[in-house]
Amino acid sequence: MLRIPCPWCGTRDEAEFRYHGDATRPRPTAADTLADFSRYTYGRDNPLGWHLEWWLHVGGCRRLLKVERHTLSHEIRWVGTPEASPAPEVQAP
Amino acid sequence: MPPAPRPSAPAIAPERTSSGRYSLWRLLREGLNGQRGWSRAWVKAAPRPRYRVVIVGGGGHGLATAFYLATGHGICDVAVLERGPLGLGNVARNTTIIRSNYFQPANIRFYDFSLRLWERLERSLNFNAMVSQRGTLNLFHTEAQRDLFTRRANLMRLEGVDAAALSRAAVKALVPLVDLDNGRYPVLGGFLQPRGGTVRHDAVAWGYARGASEAGVDIVEHCAVTGIRREGERVVGVETSRGFIAADVVCLAVAGHSSELARMAGLELPIETHVLQAFVTEGVKPVLDVVLTYGAGHFYISQSDKGGLVFGGAIDGYNTYGQRGTLPMVEEVTAAAVTLLPALARVKVLRQWGGVMDMSMDGSPIISQTPLAGLVLNGGWCYGGFKAIPAGGFTTAHLIAHGAPHPVAAHLDLGRFAAGRTVDERGVGPFPYLH
Ligand SMILES: Cc1cc2nc3c(=O)[nH]c(=O)nc-3n(C[C@H](O)[C@H](O)[C@H](O)COP(=O)(O)OP(=O)(O)OC[C@H]3O[C@@H](n4cnc5c(N)ncnc54)[C@H](O)[C@@H]3O)c2cc1C
Ligand SMILES: [Zn+2]
């Protein structure tokens, strides 16, 4: 069971959240190519290691969080708002 | 940067002793002979410095690809490189269900091609894989679900594949354990594919390994691929824990590790890695002689020949390479189990395990060439790749031998994502955690 520290509600069980996947893909703009849209929609880095991902706190504040979690140990080392990113020193290598 | 090439292991020509034909007559003879005449089923080879084809991953798909390359196309200069012991990946972790009751016509054709190969597999491998066509029964609990299943059954029958609708009474007659009127989701009926069933999973790895080895393929255990060497836009070989191995074609068949291997070649795939769990109970007397799936939650169950009830549910739901599984899904699966089959509440679960799977962005597999010459991908199997092993191996071998896809797997190319021709079985879009 993951325990996710929501910045607004405090630490809650995984059961209150819904996973929304990879949070590292920059959204293309209208000026970008079809290939950029395809990479955004279907391409995934899928690392074995630190992963920046979206979680929606459906059973709480209903806000979207950005979480940095390890895909083998499941350790969570950073949680922030959608606009924030982890400090450079803890950014994935 | 790729690691510096290490000296390759000395090339030892493995002794190619045949394990001989297995038969009832042989069993009797060995029984009278103190079982002294058996030899190893397959040779544990040391890697040679170069091969025509190197297959990465000694799971079901890697071994089947090697077998069909050697026996169907005469390409025997092949190595299968497995980082651990043979067949400890998903091929030995799955719930062994085979079926072809898919929705997309191209997928129906592909999975039924596989089912037809299963039907004659034991004869072609001379190996008992315990293929048991006991039928797969999907239950439905709402009228909308009944309509969807009817549509699916009709699509299957248009392709010449068996499918039948069962009434409530017929469901009860087939599976007396089912609580038809369970308080939450009463059962309205079922959808049966009589040719579906189960197969002894380990035997599939061993049978293909034996057949491939006998045809001259090198099966190399404890040989982890750590890098993929490129010369421009062409792949020329693999760096491994046992040195560099050159190859004209490198085929990736590493299931949940596809993205990691593709990254070594500088490619990004439309795949996420997720864990799926499975469970087995203590052995009980025969109570269930079909594969049963629940329609109001993700839950499926069958009974093994040893008597254990083998069951599973959905993926845990977030990217992970942890081959173990977490407790929230244990709770969800067991809740579904006792809702549908209340008698299970008193049966003890003996073991639980997990396997990491390559969830593709449309829920369908990928058997394809890649943007790099000499690199072929067999992956994206999601949680349904066991049933596809014969067809996956057959069509991947065809792709390697002919440089063009086999017609039955042509829709599974990697280019479909960029081209907007995804094969979205469930119609949920590019969200692997929902497939
Ligand atoms: C719990 C569970 C239940 C399932 N139930 C079903 C089911 O009922 N029906 C069904 O059809 N499918 C089912 N599946 C899915 C099915 O098991 C897989 O899709 C299929 O086995 C994957 O193909 P494979 O056999 O080739 O994979 P694997 O057996 O996983 O083979 C991949 C191999 O690659 C090796 N490898 C990885 N990295 C490297 C490297 N760097 N170098 C060398 N080797 C490497 C691994 O060690 C592994 O042995 C289930 C899966 C799980 C986990
Ligand atoms: Zn919250």
Side-chain angles (χ1 to χ4, degrees), chain A residues 1-2 14 18-22 25 38-39 41-48 51 55 69 71-74, chain B residues 259-260 263 268-274 317-322 324 326 328 361 417-418 422 430 433-434:
Chain A
M1 177 72 82
L2 299 178
E14 145 194 354
R18 241 201 118 118
Y19 185 63
H20 276 261
D22 192 334
R25 321 286 308 177
S38 163
R39 269 194 296 276
T41 313
Y42 300 113
R44 290 294 180 269
D45 191 35
N46 190 25
L48 194 171
H51 190 232
W55 286 83
R69 184 182 58 90
T71 57
L72 194 56
S73 67
H74 296 179
Chain B
S259 299
E260 290 286 309
R263 185 176 301 113
E268 184 179 75
L269 297 181
I271 286 178
E272 284 182 6
T273 298
H274 288 257
Y318 43 88
N319 290 47
T320 178
Y321 283 83
R324 51 186 189 268
T326 62
M361 299 303 278
F417 296 94
T422 54
Y433 46 90
L434 297 181

Side-chain angles (χ1 to χ4, degrees), chain B residues 143-212:
Chain B
E143 313 241 303
Q145 233 177 359
R146 184 193 56 207
D147 293 349
L148 259 179
F149 274 135
T150 308
R151 183 168 173 216
R152 190 151 121 187
N154 286 336
L155 282 164
M156 288 166 62
R157 292 172 78 145
L158 282 173
E159 296 294 337
V161 174
D162 59 321
L166 296 192
S167 66
R168 263 167 66 89
V171 167
K172 191 71 185 170
L174 200 55
V175 193
L177 277 189
V178 170
D179 181 7
L180 287 185
D181 293 308
N182 70 79
R184 300 284 301 274
Y185 306 106
V187 176
L188 297 189
F191 159 65
L192 181 74
Q193 181 178 26
R195 285 162 63 240
T198 61
V199 179
R200 172 80 202 273
H201 49 8
D202 311 288
V204 175
W206 301 330
Y208 275 120
R210 171 170 173 262

Side-chain angles (χ1 to χ4, degrees), chain B residues 56-62 81-84 87-97 223-225 253-255 257 261 264 276-278 300 353-358 381-389:
Chain B
V56 188
H61 285 277
L81 309 181
E82 166 55 49
R83 66 173 180 179
L88 279 193
N90 291 342
V91 70
R93 290 167 184 266
N94 64 78
T95 46
T96 78
I97 300 165
C223 182
V225 171
V254 292
H257 294 271
L261 268 289
M264 293 176 192
L276 183 69
Q277 309 188 45
Y300 40 87
W353 64 93
V356 294
M357 285 156 317
D358 34 347
W381 291 108
C382 303
Y383 37 65
F386 176 71
K387 68 177 79 66
I389 285 171

